[in-house]
Amino acid sequence: MEKKTKQEKEKNQTRNGLYQTMWRWHFYAGIIFAPFLIILAFSGAVYLFKPQIESYIYQDLHYVEETQGTRLSVNAQAEKVREAYPGVSISGVSIFDQEERTTKFSTMLDGKPVSVFVDAYSGQVMGDLPVEKELMTIFKKLHSELIVGGTVANRFVELAACWAIILILTGLYIWWPRNRASIWGTVLPRLRSKGRVFWRDMHAVPAFWLSLGLLVLILTGLPWSGVMGEQINRVATATNTGYPAFSFSFGPKPESVTVTKDVAENVPWAAENVPVPSSVNNQYVPLTLNDAAGIAEMKGIQKPYTISSPQGESGVFTIATSHSRPFDNATLHVDQYSGAVLTDVRYADYGVMGKAITLGIALHEGKLFGLTNQLLGLILCIGLIGMMVSSFVMWRKRKPENGLGAPGRNVDIKTKRAVTIIMLLLGLIMPLVGISIIVVLLLDKLVFVRIKRLKAWLG
């Protein structure tokens, strides 16, 4: 009996030690990354409704009142742009599926990218909008680069997103009921309670219900990230499960080091790294935007699509659509002289990873199943903000005056090492997480221990 009691006591100590260790990781990750996750959730929630927001605030640029008569050719519309902006350089044109939508020309004015909008029926230039001042461009930059821009900001956003995964996993472990428990406080909040219990339930219960959705939301955003995104792309390329090794209708496989995302707009993720072939100058007169639009129609490219102009004498026209219906995605490279379709990559050509990630990205952006998708994403974003706010209130209620209020660390060394190894293994999958853990461990061993006040404050 005594031996059994001792074993049970050791088991409980191990379980409690594991709980305390998980809680410490959860606590510190939350303290550091909560502000950034709030920014990501807020900017993401706004960006979900990009179509509706842009249609409202830019309606004078995006829509025409009269749709009577015949639409002007793309060439004729381009001439109207050149008349209104002498010396302008047109890099591309976007053609939409709504009859009342204006045609958008991507241009360079005074060295800056500017969108110019043209009434396709009258040829009237409706106005222009610098790309950097577009509201959704600002929110996209906030979401991906925290406004400040640059590689460091982008990596920090990725780091916050990866740590959010760990926050969810450790949070689920902490939430998991270990004893006989009521549904109250586990799957339903105790709304009549007060103080820390109320705020704990406001944090833990929504986190449980939203955890799967949040994990999907984060994972579907990682293909865009700088480090994880490159890893995902390398795996897809190495296994031939991303874009096809080469999908062509004419000519040999290109040896180009230039990829499609470097020369074109509106390119689907799975086709971003498709090598760009070269046009062969056979003394033909170069094609016009109108000719490229005709090829798009002939090949059945679904609107909206964007035609990006050739860059240089050996450049190609790129016709691309990252469609709201992922199954209609397409990327074509067209010889600017002969009109030959050199590359033709559709959704059906993608490998397993390419198709899955394309659907995931559409889900992440709220495009996969319309308004319902947008509202679901909005609920997840609001829920994440709510969890961060409730955790802050909960922390402030338990935080001592002269300390951070971290959970106790009097835990068996074996338990701490085991959890640290698990975290480092996660760091192998998410390299930025691994680097950050190593940095923190080095600071803990070499710096924090030498500064007694800081060590005491950190707990």
Side-chain angles (χ1 to χ4, degrees):
M1 179 67 74
E2 289 182 4
K3 185 177 181 181
K4 185 177 180 181
T5 303
K6 185 178 179 181
Q7 288 177 339
E8 289 179 351
K9 186 176 180 181
E10 288 176 351
K11 187 177 180 180
N12 288 333
Q13 286 178 340
T14 301
R15 187 185 297 117
N16 291 334
L18 187 58
Y19 179 90
Q20 288 292 113
T21 306
M22 288 290 192
W23 187 13
R24 281 181 69 83
W25 281 100
H26 187 79
F27 174 84
Y28 282 120
I31 287 289
I32 295 169
F33 293 107
F36 301 99
L37 293 177
I38 289 174
I39 292 172
L40 292 180
F42 171 69
S43 57
V46 174
Y47 199 81
L48 280 168
F49 294 89
K50 177 184 176 181
Q52 293 93 329
I53 293 172
E54 287 189 331
S55 293
Y56 178 74
I57 63 177
Y58 300 131
Q59 56 184 322
D60 293 340
L61 294 174
H62 285 190
Y63 296 98
V64 298
E65 294 182 2
E66 296 291 335
T67 58
Q68 302 299 320
T70 305
R71 295 174 67 92
L72 297 176
S73 68
V74 179
N75 286 352
Q77 295 180 58
E79 282 304 313
K80 295 294 184 181
V81 174
R82 294 188 181 98
E83 289 175 10
Y85 304 92
V88 69
S89 172
I90 297 177
S91 59
V93 57
S94 296
I95 300 173
F96 299 92
D97 53 351
Q98 298 164 284
E99 290 297 319
E100 65 273 18
R101 273 299 301 264
T102 54
T103 304
K104 185 180 83 171
F105 286 85
S106 300
T107 72
M108 291 296 291
L109 286 173
D110 299 324
K112 294 183 178 180
V114 176
S115 298
V116 178
F117 301 88
V118 179
D119 183 335
Y121 299 93
S122 68
Q124 178 187 353
V125 175
M126 307 297 288
D128 60 70
L129 185 64
V131 173
E132 64 181 12
K133 293 184 179 180
E134 292 180 9
L135 183 63
M136 288 301 111
T137 299
I138 294 171
F139 272 94
K140 185 177 181 180
K141 192 171 182 179
L142 176 63
H143 192 70
S144 61
E145 299 177 347
L146 304 175
I147 287 292
V148 297
T151 302
V152 174
N154 179 266
R155 297 297 183 269
F156 209 93
V157 166
E158 181 180 349
L159 182 63
C162 290
W163 270 103
I165 295 174
I166 295 178
L167 274 170
I168 293 170
L169 296 178
T170 54
L172 285 172
Y173 180 86
I174 296 168
W175 164 88
W176 191 268
R178 285 157 183 77
N179 303 311
R180 184 180 179 183
S182 167
I183 61 172
W184 300 103
T186 51
V187 296
L188 291 175
R190 290 164 287 188
L191 297 176
R192 293 183 179 180
S193 58
K194 296 181 180 180
R196 284 175 56 190
V197 172
F198 172 81
W199 288 105
R200 179 264 175 202
D201 285 6
M202 288 297 98
H203 178 73
V205 175
F208 161 69
W209 286 109
L210 299 178
S211 57
L212 179 60
L214 287 171
L215 277 173
V216 171
L217 194 66
I218 295 165
L219 292 172
T220 52
L222 286 179
W224 282 310
S225 60
V227 177
M228 282 290 292
E230 284 300 315
Q231 282 192 322
I232 293 169
N233 181 62
R234 280 197 294 269
V235 171
T237 302
T239 57
N240 289 324
T241 55
Y243 67 84
F246 189 66
S247 180
F248 63 92
S249 299
F250 176 81
K253 177 179 177 178
E255 300 298 330
S256 172
V257 293
T258 304
V259 293
T260 304
K261 66 181 178 182
D262 295 333
V263 300
E265 301 177 53
N266 201 25
V267 180
W269 179 89
E272 285 184 342
N273 291 295
V274 171
V276 180
S278 298
S279 293
V280 179
N281 191 341
N282 292 320
Q283 306 303 314
Y284 294 142
V285 176
L287 273 61
T288 64
L289 286 170
N290 210 52
D291 296 324
I295 292 171
E297 297 295 326
M298 181 179 66
K299 290 295 182 179
I301 307 302
Q302 298 297 308
K303 298 175 182 176
Y305 60 78
T306 298
I307 302 171
S308 298
S309 300
Q311 296 185 8
E313 293 183 358
S314 62
V316 295
F317 281 103
T318 301
I319 304 168
T321 175
S322 182
H323 211 279
S324 57
R325 298 186 298 273
F327 305 105
D328 290 331
N329 281 1
T331 306
L332 274 65
H333 291 133
V334 178
D335 188 299
Q336 66 167 305
Y337 303 104
S338 67
V341 177
L342 307 177
T343 303
D344 188 345
V345 180
R346 311 293 178 107
Y347 177 86
D349 299 318
Y350 302 162
V352 174
M353 280 187 68
K355 289 178 178 176
I357 291 171
T358 297
L359 293 175
I361 287 174
L363 178 68
H364 188 91
E365 291 185 315
K367 294 179 178 179
L368 192 57
F369 41 92
L371 182 61
T372 303
N373 192 166
Q374 291 175 306
L375 293 175
L376 179 60
L378 180 63
I379 290 170
L380 292 172
C381 290
I382 292 174
L384 181 57
I385 293 172
M387 287 187 296
M388 296 301 104
V389 171
S390 59
S391 66
F392 176 79
V393 175
M394 189 167 51
W395 168 60
R396 292 297 299 175
K397 285 185 173 294
R398 68 181 295 275
K399 179 185 177 298
E401 289 186 11
N402 299 317
L404 187 61
R409 63 181 299 169
N410 295 324
V411 179
D412 178 70
I413 189 66
K414 292 182 179 180
T415 301
K416 287 195 290 187
R417 285 177 178 172
V419 174
T420 301
I421 290 171
I422 292 172
M423 293 297 176
L424 288 171
L425 290 174
L426 287 172
L428 291 176
I429 301 171
M430 299 177 285
L432 290 182
V433 168
I435 293 170
S436 65
I437 290 174
I438 292 170
V439 169
V440 170
L441 290 175
L442 290 174
L443 287 173
D444 188 42
K445 297 296 182 184
L446 303 177
V447 179
F448 298 157
V449 293
R450 300 176 186 275
I451 306 174
K452 292 182 178 180
R453 287 186 178 181
L454 178 61
K455 181 181 178 183
W457 186 79
L458 289 172

